[in-house]
PDB file of all heavy atoms in Angstrom:
ATOM      1  N   GLU A   1      27.376 -26.201  10.409  1.00  0.00           N
ATOM      2  CA  GLU A   1      26.792 -27.012  11.486  1.00  0.00           C
ATOM      3  C   GLU A   1      27.790 -27.288  12.551  1.00  0.00           C
ATOM      4  O   GLU A   1      29.020 -27.078  12.315  1.00  0.00           O
ATOM      5  CB  GLU A   1      26.202 -28.370  10.987  1.00  0.00           C
ATOM      6  CG  GLU A   1      27.217 -29.063   9.974  1.00  0.00           C
ATOM      7  CD  GLU A   1      28.064 -30.162  10.543  1.00  0.00           C
ATOM      8  OE1 GLU A   1      27.697 -30.786  11.513  1.00  0.00           O
ATOM      9  OE2 GLU A   1      29.105 -30.382  10.004  1.00  0.00           O
ATOM     10  N   ASN A   2      27.364 -27.682  13.698  1.00  0.00           N
ATOM     11  CA  ASN A   2      28.272 -27.916  14.821  1.00  0.00           C
ATOM     12  C   ASN A   2      27.455 -28.538  15.905  1.00  0.00           C
ATOM     13  O   ASN A   2      26.220 -28.780  15.766  1.00  0.00           O
ATOM     14  CB  ASN A   2      28.966 -26.617  15.300  1.00  0.00           C
ATOM     15  CG  ASN A   2      30.358 -27.003  15.889  1.00  0.00           C
ATOM     16  OD1 ASN A   2      30.612 -28.069  16.336  1.00  0.00           O
ATOM     17  ND2 ASN A   2      31.239 -25.986  15.705  1.00  0.00           N
ATOM     18  N   ALA A   3      28.133 -28.814  17.011  1.00  0.00           N
ATOM     19  CA  ALA A   3      27.458 -29.400  18.250  1.00  0.00           C
ATOM     20  C   ALA A   3      28.232 -28.901  19.468  1.00  0.00           C
ATOM     21  O   ALA A   3      29.393 -28.524  19.349  1.00  0.00           O
ATOM     22  CB  ALA A   3      27.467 -30.879  18.054  1.00  0.00           C
ATOM     23  N   PHE A   4      27.560 -29.018  20.596  1.00  0.00           N
ATOM     24  CA  PHE A   4      28.303 -28.716  21.878  1.00  0.00           C
ATOM     25  C   PHE A   4      27.630 -29.461  23.001  1.00  0.00           C
ATOM     26  O   PHE A   4      26.494 -29.820  22.950  1.00  0.00           O
ATOM     27  CB  PHE A   4      28.278 -27.218  22.061  1.00  0.00           C
ATOM     28  CG  PHE A   4      26.907 -26.565  22.019  1.00  0.00           C
ATOM     29  CD1 PHE A   4      26.134 -26.392  23.173  1.00  0.00           C
ATOM     30  CD2 PHE A   4      26.398 -26.138  20.837  1.00  0.00           C
ATOM     31  CE1 PHE A   4      24.914 -25.710  23.102  1.00  0.00           C
ATOM     32  CE2 PHE A   4      25.209 -25.454  20.729  1.00  0.00           C
ATOM     33  CZ  PHE A   4      24.444 -25.267  21.864  1.00  0.00           C
ATOM     34  N   THR A   5      28.434 -29.696  24.012  1.00  0.00           N
ATOM     35  CA  THR A   5      27.951 -30.366  25.248  1.00  0.00           C
ATOM     36  C   THR A   5      28.214 -29.469  26.423  1.00  0.00           C
ATOM     37  O   THR A   5      29.298 -28.810  26.530  1.00  0.00           O
ATOM     38  CB  THR A   5      28.677 -31.692  25.431  1.00  0.00           C
ATOM     39  OG1 THR A   5      28.467 -32.488  24.271  1.00  0.00           O
ATOM     40  CG2 THR A   5      28.209 -32.393  26.664  1.00  0.00           C
ATOM     41  N   THR A   6      27.230 -29.269  27.266  1.00  0.00           N
ATOM     42  CA  THR A   6      27.435 -28.492  28.472  1.00  0.00           C
ATOM     43  C   THR A   6      27.163 -29.342  29.724  1.00  0.00           C
ATOM     44  O   THR A   6      27.005 -30.606  29.530  1.00  0.00           O
ATOM     45  CB  THR A   6      26.390 -27.297  28.538  1.00  0.00           C
ATOM     46  OG1 THR A   6      25.112 -27.753  28.758  1.00  0.00           O
ATOM     47  CG2 THR A   6      26.475 -26.480  27.272  1.00  0.00           C
ATOM     48  N   GLU A   7      27.059 -28.768  30.826  1.00  0.00           N
ATOM     49  CA  GLU A   7      26.634 -29.531  32.103  1.00  0.00           C
ATOM     50  C   GLU A   7      25.260 -30.192  31.916  1.00  0.00           C
ATOM     51  O   GLU A   7      25.004 -31.313  32.448  1.00  0.00           O
ATOM     52  CB  GLU A   7      26.759 -28.613  33.277  1.00  0.00           C
ATOM     53  CG  GLU A   7      28.057 -28.126  33.631  1.00  0.00           C
ATOM     54  CD  GLU A   7      28.989 -29.263  34.125  1.00  0.00           C
ATOM     55  OE1 GLU A   7      28.578 -30.072  34.950  1.00  0.00           O
ATOM     56  OE2 GLU A   7      30.167 -29.355  33.552  1.00  0.00           O
ATOM     57  N   ASP A   8      24.378 -29.443  31.298  1.00  0.00           N
ATOM     58  CA  ASP A   8      22.945 -29.923  31.277  1.00  0.00           C
ATOM     59  C   ASP A   8      22.430 -30.467  30.019  1.00  0.00           C
ATOM     60  O   ASP A   8      21.318 -31.075  29.983  1.00  0.00           O
ATOM     61  CB  ASP A   8      22.072 -28.772  31.711  1.00  0.00           C
ATOM     62  CG  ASP A   8      22.459 -28.203  33.133  1.00  0.00           C
ATOM     63  OD1 ASP A   8      22.581 -29.043  34.061  1.00  0.00           O
ATOM     64  OD2 ASP A   8      22.559 -27.016  33.289  1.00  0.00           O
ATOM     65  N   TYR A   9      23.061 -30.293  28.853  1.00  0.00           N
ATOM     66  CA  TYR A   9      22.482 -30.742  27.609  1.00  0.00           C
ATOM     67  C   TYR A   9      23.588 -30.914  26.569  1.00  0.00           C
ATOM     68  O   TYR A   9      24.656 -30.343  26.688  1.00  0.00           O
ATOM     69  CB  TYR A   9      21.403 -29.799  27.109  1.00  0.00           C
ATOM     70  CG  TYR A   9      21.860 -28.292  27.016  1.00  0.00           C
ATOM     71  CD1 TYR A   9      22.506 -27.855  25.942  1.00  0.00           C
ATOM     72  CD2 TYR A   9      21.540 -27.422  28.049  1.00  0.00           C
ATOM     73  CE1 TYR A   9      23.015 -26.515  25.809  1.00  0.00           C
ATOM     74  CE2 TYR A   9      22.008 -26.101  27.981  1.00  0.00           C
ATOM     75  CZ  TYR A   9      22.717 -25.621  26.865  1.00  0.00           C
ATOM     76  OH  TYR A   9      23.150 -24.378  26.833  1.00  0.00           O
ATOM     77  N   THR A  10      23.210 -31.571  25.496  1.00  0.00           N
ATOM     78  CA  THR A  10      24.014 -31.772  24.331  1.00  0.00           C
ATOM     79  C   THR A  10      23.160 -31.265  23.146  1.00  0.00           C
ATOM     80  O   THR A  10      22.026 -31.740  23.044  1.00  0.00           O
ATOM     81  CB  THR A  10      24.521 -33.185  24.126  1.00  0.00           C
ATOM     82  OG1 THR A  10      25.165 -33.627  25.327  1.00  0.00           O
ATOM     83  CG2 THR A  10      25.445 -33.353  22.908  1.00  0.00           C
ATOM     84  N   ALA A  11      23.720 -30.421  22.349  1.00  0.00           N
ATOM     85  CA  ALA A  11      22.961 -29.841  21.265  1.00  0.00           C
ATOM     86  C   ALA A  11      23.678 -29.945  19.880  1.00  0.00           C
ATOM     87  O   ALA A  11      24.909 -29.891  19.838  1.00  0.00           O
ATOM     88  CB  ALA A  11      22.599 -28.327  21.519  1.00  0.00           C
ATOM     89  N   TYR A  12      22.898 -30.080  18.879  1.00  0.00           N
ATOM     90  CA  TYR A  12      23.368 -30.217  17.469  1.00  0.00           C
ATOM     91  C   TYR A  12      22.651 -29.188  16.637  1.00  0.00           C
ATOM     92  O   TYR A  12      21.429 -28.990  16.857  1.00  0.00           O
ATOM     93  CB  TYR A  12      23.153 -31.574  16.870  1.00  0.00           C
ATOM     94  CG  TYR A  12      23.699 -32.681  17.794  1.00  0.00           C
ATOM     95  CD1 TYR A  12      22.984 -33.184  18.817  1.00  0.00           C
ATOM     96  CD2 TYR A  12      25.036 -33.203  17.436  1.00  0.00           C
ATOM     97  CE1 TYR A  12      23.594 -34.141  19.660  1.00  0.00           C
ATOM     98  CE2 TYR A  12      25.569 -34.154  18.227  1.00  0.00           C
ATOM     99  CZ  TYR A  12      24.849 -34.558  19.335  1.00  0.00           C
ATOM    100  OH  TYR A  12      25.451 -35.593  20.071  1.00  0.00           O
ATOM    101  N   PHE A  13      23.311 -28.456  15.792  1.00  0.00           N
ATOM    102  CA  PHE A  13      22.569 -27.420  14.952  1.00  0.00           C
ATOM    103  C   PHE A  13      23.145 -27.417  13.513  1.00  0.00           C
ATOM    104  O   PHE A  13      24.354 -27.719  13.300  1.00  0.00           O
ATOM    105  CB  PHE A  13      22.600 -26.105  15.588  1.00  0.00           C
ATOM    106  CG  PHE A  13      23.940 -25.367  15.660  1.00  0.00           C
ATOM    107  CD1 PHE A  13      24.341 -24.603  14.556  1.00  0.00           C
ATOM    108  CD2 PHE A  13      24.754 -25.562  16.663  1.00  0.00           C
ATOM    109  CE1 PHE A  13      25.519 -23.943  14.621  1.00  0.00           C
ATOM    110  CE2 PHE A  13      25.991 -24.999  16.804  1.00  0.00           C
ATOM    111  CZ  PHE A  13      26.424 -24.128  15.706  1.00  0.00           C
ATOM    112  N   GLN A  14      22.305 -26.940  12.648  1.00  0.00           N
ATOM    113  CA  GLN A  14      22.605 -26.644  11.299  1.00  0.00           C
ATOM    114  C   GLN A  14      21.937 -25.415  10.910  1.00  0.00           C
ATOM    115  O   GLN A  14      20.785 -25.208  11.204  1.00  0.00           O
ATOM    116  CB  GLN A  14      22.129 -27.808  10.260  1.00  0.00           C
ATOM    117  CG  GLN A  14      22.679 -29.245  10.699  1.00  0.00           C
ATOM    118  CD  GLN A  14      21.660 -29.813  11.712  1.00  0.00           C
ATOM    119  OE1 GLN A  14      20.421 -29.634  11.566  1.00  0.00           O
ATOM    120  NE2 GLN A  14      22.167 -30.591  12.607  1.00  0.00           N
ATOM    121  N   SER A  15      22.662 -24.472  10.202  1.00  0.00           N
ATOM    122  CA  SER A  15      22.070 -23.307   9.629  1.00  0.00           C
ATOM    123  C   SER A  15      22.119 -23.456   8.058  1.00  0.00           C
ATOM    124  O   SER A  15      23.237 -23.629   7.544  1.00  0.00           O
ATOM    125  CB  SER A  15      22.853 -22.030  10.067  1.00  0.00           C
ATOM    126  OG  SER A  15      22.710 -21.859  11.485  1.00  0.00           O
ATOM    127  N   VAL A  16      20.939 -23.443   7.509  1.00  0.00           N
ATOM    128  CA  VAL A  16      20.859 -23.583   6.030  1.00  0.00           C
ATOM    129  C   VAL A  16      19.759 -22.700   5.506  1.00  0.00           C
ATOM    130  O   VAL A  16      19.009 -22.087   6.225  1.00  0.00           O
ATOM    131  CB  VAL A  16      20.485 -25.038   5.635  1.00  0.00           C
ATOM    132  CG1 VAL A  16      21.571 -25.988   6.075  1.00  0.00           C
ATOM    133  CG2 VAL A  16      19.222 -25.463   6.256  1.00  0.00           C
ATOM    134  N   SER A  17      19.679 -22.570   4.161  1.00  0.00           N
ATOM    135  CA  SER A  17      18.542 -21.805   3.592  1.00  0.00           C
ATOM    136  C   SER A  17      17.243 -22.503   3.979  1.00  0.00           C
ATOM    137  O   SER A  17      17.202 -23.742   4.142  1.00  0.00           O
ATOM    138  CB  SER A  17      18.670 -21.684   2.124  1.00  0.00           C
ATOM    139  OG  SER A  17      18.606 -22.909   1.526  1.00  0.00           O
ATOM    140  N   VAL A  18      16.190 -21.798   4.065  1.00  0.00           N
ATOM    141  CA  VAL A  18      14.849 -22.295   4.485  1.00  0.00           C
ATOM    142  C   VAL A  18      14.429 -23.565   3.737  1.00  0.00           C
ATOM    143  O   VAL A  18      13.838 -24.461   4.251  1.00  0.00           O
ATOM    144  CB  VAL A  18      13.811 -21.179   4.424  1.00  0.00           C
ATOM    145  CG1 VAL A  18      12.386 -21.705   4.726  1.00  0.00           C
ATOM    146  CG2 VAL A  18      14.130 -20.077   5.426  1.00  0.00           C
ATOM    147  N   ASP A  19      14.704 -23.547   2.423  1.00  0.00           N
ATOM    148  CA  ASP A  19      14.288 -24.610   1.586  1.00  0.00           C
ATOM    149  C   ASP A  19      14.901 -25.945   1.866  1.00  0.00           C
ATOM    150  O   ASP A  19      14.540 -26.968   1.371  1.00  0.00           O
ATOM    151  CB  ASP A  19      14.365 -24.276   0.046  1.00  0.00           C
ATOM    152  CG  ASP A  19      15.716 -23.841  -0.410  1.00  0.00           C
ATOM    153  OD1 ASP A  19      16.415 -23.174   0.480  1.00  0.00           O
ATOM    154  OD2 ASP A  19      16.116 -24.127  -1.524  1.00  0.00           O
ATOM    155  N   HIS A  20      15.925 -25.958   2.756  1.00  0.00           N
ATOM    156  CA  HIS A  20      16.632 -27.218   3.110  1.00  0.00           C
ATOM    157  C   HIS A  20      16.285 -27.694   4.510  1.00  0.00           C
ATOM    158  O   HIS A  20      16.866 -28.650   4.937  1.00  0.00           O
ATOM    159  CB  HIS A  20      18.195 -27.053   2.939  1.00  0.00           C
ATOM    160  CG  HIS A  20      18.556 -26.767   1.583  1.00  0.00           C
ATOM    161  ND1 HIS A  20      18.297 -27.568   0.479  1.00  0.00           N
ATOM    162  CD2 HIS A  20      19.304 -25.702   1.050  1.00  0.00           C
ATOM    163  CE1 HIS A  20      18.779 -27.084  -0.610  1.00  0.00           C
ATOM    164  NE2 HIS A  20      19.370 -25.925  -0.282  1.00  0.00           N
ATOM    165  N   LEU A  21      15.371 -27.060   5.149  1.00  0.00           N
ATOM    166  CA  LEU A  21      14.937 -27.472   6.461  1.00  0.00           C
ATOM    167  C   LEU A  21      14.537 -28.929   6.587  1.00  0.00           C
ATOM    168  O   LEU A  21      14.937 -29.688   7.455  1.00  0.00           O
ATOM    169  CB  LEU A  21      13.784 -26.575   7.045  1.00  0.00           C
ATOM    170  CG  LEU A  21      13.354 -26.931   8.488  1.00  0.00           C
ATOM    171  CD1 LEU A  21      14.405 -26.903   9.455  1.00  0.00           C
ATOM    172  CD2 LEU A  21      12.135 -25.972   8.803  1.00  0.00           C
ATOM    173  N   GLU A  22      13.645 -29.288   5.694  1.00  0.00           N
ATOM    174  CA  GLU A  22      13.142 -30.776   5.724  1.00  0.00           C
ATOM    175  C   GLU A  22      14.254 -31.737   5.660  1.00  0.00           C
ATOM    176  O   GLU A  22      14.322 -32.694   6.374  1.00  0.00           O
ATOM    177  CB  GLU A  22      12.094 -30.954   4.597  1.00  0.00           C
ATOM    178  CG  GLU A  22      11.546 -32.269   4.714  1.00  0.00           C
ATOM    179  CD  GLU A  22      10.420 -32.552   3.596  1.00  0.00           C
ATOM    180  OE1 GLU A  22      10.037 -31.569   2.865  1.00  0.00           O
ATOM    181  OE2 GLU A  22       9.994 -33.708   3.437  1.00  0.00           O
ATOM    182  N   GLU A  23      15.256 -31.397   4.769  1.00  0.00           N
ATOM    183  CA  GLU A  23      16.424 -32.377   4.645  1.00  0.00           C
ATOM    184  C   GLU A  23      17.164 -32.473   5.955  1.00  0.00           C
ATOM    185  O   GLU A  23      17.602 -33.498   6.408  1.00  0.00           O
ATOM    186  CB  GLU A  23      17.296 -31.894   3.554  1.00  0.00           C
ATOM    187  CG  GLU A  23      18.364 -32.929   3.204  1.00  0.00           C
ATOM    188  CD  GLU A  23      19.043 -32.679   1.896  1.00  0.00           C
ATOM    189  OE1 GLU A  23      18.702 -31.718   1.178  1.00  0.00           O
ATOM    190  OE2 GLU A  23      20.020 -33.495   1.642  1.00  0.00           O
ATOM    191  N   MET A  24      17.390 -31.309   6.649  1.00  0.00           N
ATOM    192  CA  MET A  24      18.023 -31.269   7.964  1.00  0.00           C
ATOM    193  C   MET A  24      17.290 -32.070   8.969  1.00  0.00           C
ATOM    194  O   MET A  24      17.935 -32.853   9.799  1.00  0.00           O
ATOM    195  CB  MET A  24      18.292 -29.854   8.480  1.00  0.00           C
ATOM    196  CG  MET A  24      19.234 -28.984   7.604  1.00  0.00           C
ATOM    197  SD  MET A  24      20.863 -29.691   7.492  1.00  0.00           S
ATOM    198  CE  MET A  24      20.811 -30.499   5.886  1.00  0.00           C
ATOM    199  N   MET A  25      15.956 -31.997   9.000  1.00  0.00           N
ATOM    200  CA  MET A  25      15.160 -32.645   9.920  1.00  0.00           C
ATOM    201  C   MET A  25      15.309 -34.198   9.753  1.00  0.00           C
ATOM    202  O   MET A  25      15.400 -34.956  10.638  1.00  0.00           O
ATOM    203  CB  MET A  25      13.758 -32.227   9.900  1.00  0.00           C
ATOM    204  CG  MET A  25      13.549 -30.758  10.314  1.00  0.00           C
ATOM    205  SD  MET A  25      11.923 -30.122  10.178  1.00  0.00           S
ATOM    206  CE  MET A  25      11.181 -30.602  11.736  1.00  0.00           C
ATOM    207  N   LYS A  26      15.318 -34.577   8.452  1.00  0.00           N
ATOM    208  CA  LYS A  26      15.372 -36.052   8.087  1.00  0.00           C
ATOM    209  C   LYS A  26      16.775 -36.503   8.514  1.00  0.00           C
ATOM    210  O   LYS A  26      16.902 -37.629   9.085  1.00  0.00           O
ATOM    211  CB  LYS A  26      15.195 -36.227   6.652  1.00  0.00           C
ATOM    212  CG  LYS A  26      13.737 -36.087   6.249  1.00  0.00           C
ATOM    213  CD  LYS A  26      13.628 -36.249   4.664  1.00  0.00           C
ATOM    214  CE  LYS A  26      12.191 -36.136   4.283  1.00  0.00           C
ATOM    215  NZ  LYS A  26      11.948 -36.304   2.894  1.00  0.00           N
ATOM    216  N   LEU A  27      17.873 -35.761   8.256  1.00  0.00           N
ATOM    217  CA  LEU A  27      19.229 -36.158   8.632  1.00  0.00           C
ATOM    218  C   LEU A  27      19.312 -36.365  10.175  1.00  0.00           C
ATOM    219  O   LEU A  27      19.956 -37.290  10.683  1.00  0.00           O
ATOM    220  CB  LEU A  27      20.209 -35.197   8.207  1.00  0.00           C
ATOM    221  CG  LEU A  27      20.589 -35.235   6.700  1.00  0.00           C
ATOM    222  CD1 LEU A  27      21.439 -34.018   6.294  1.00  0.00           C
ATOM    223  CD2 LEU A  27      21.323 -36.553   6.306  1.00  0.00           C
ATOM    224  N   GLU A  28      18.819 -35.371  10.958  1.00  0.00           N
ATOM    225  CA  GLU A  28      18.811 -35.469  12.428  1.00  0.00           C
ATOM    226  C   GLU A  28      18.071 -36.651  12.889  1.00  0.00           C
ATOM    227  O   GLU A  28      18.526 -37.380  13.793  1.00  0.00           O
ATOM    228  CB  GLU A  28      18.393 -34.169  13.076  1.00  0.00           C
ATOM    229  CG  GLU A  28      19.371 -33.168  13.170  1.00  0.00           C
ATOM    230  CD  GLU A  28      20.555 -33.443  14.099  1.00  0.00           C
ATOM    231  OE1 GLU A  28      20.663 -34.558  14.699  1.00  0.00           O
ATOM    232  OE2 GLU A  28      21.449 -32.602  14.172  1.00  0.00           O
ATOM    233  N   ALA A  29      16.919 -36.816  12.267  1.00  0.00           N
ATOM    234  CA  ALA A  29      16.043 -38.035  12.735  1.00  0.00           C
ATOM    235  C   ALA A  29      16.731 -39.301  12.437  1.00  0.00           C
ATOM    236  O   ALA A  29      16.770 -40.257  13.229  1.00  0.00           O
ATOM    237  CB  ALA A  29      14.623 -37.933  12.032  1.00  0.00           C
ATOM    238  N   ASP A  30      17.453 -39.352  11.291  1.00  0.00           N
ATOM    239  CA  ASP A  30      18.207 -40.532  10.961  1.00  0.00           C
ATOM    240  C   ASP A  30      19.307 -40.892  11.977  1.00  0.00           C
ATOM    241  O   ASP A  30      19.428 -42.027  12.401  1.00  0.00           O
ATOM    242  CB  ASP A  30      18.737 -40.402   9.566  1.00  0.00           C
ATOM    243  CG  ASP A  30      19.566 -41.685   9.109  1.00  0.00           C
ATOM    244  OD1 ASP A  30      19.081 -42.704   9.193  1.00  0.00           O
ATOM    245  OD2 ASP A  30      20.720 -41.418   8.696  1.00  0.00           O
ATOM    246  N   ARG A  31      20.010 -39.867  12.310  1.00  0.00           N
ATOM    247  CA  ARG A  31      21.127 -40.186  13.264  1.00  0.00           C
ATOM    248  C   ARG A  31      20.645 -40.390  14.725  1.00  0.00           C
ATOM    249  O   ARG A  31      21.329 -40.937  15.530  1.00  0.00           O
ATOM    250  CB  ARG A  31      22.215 -39.172  13.216  1.00  0.00           C
ATOM    251  CG  ARG A  31      22.052 -37.798  13.790  1.00  0.00           C
ATOM    252  CD  ARG A  31      23.347 -37.035  13.583  1.00  0.00           C
ATOM    253  NE  ARG A  31      23.274 -35.711  13.986  1.00  0.00           N
ATOM    254  CZ  ARG A  31      24.265 -34.812  13.888  1.00  0.00           C
ATOM    255  NH1 ARG A  31      25.440 -35.232  13.412  1.00  0.00           N
ATOM    256  NH2 ARG A  31      24.134 -33.611  14.301  1.00  0.00           N
TER     257      ARG A  31
END
């Protein structure tokens, strides 16, 4: 995972196996 900021946006990402997508979505929603 990582994040970056540009002139126009700030983005956060995680790359995981497909079966962990729901957990990533919950973690992002939480923060």
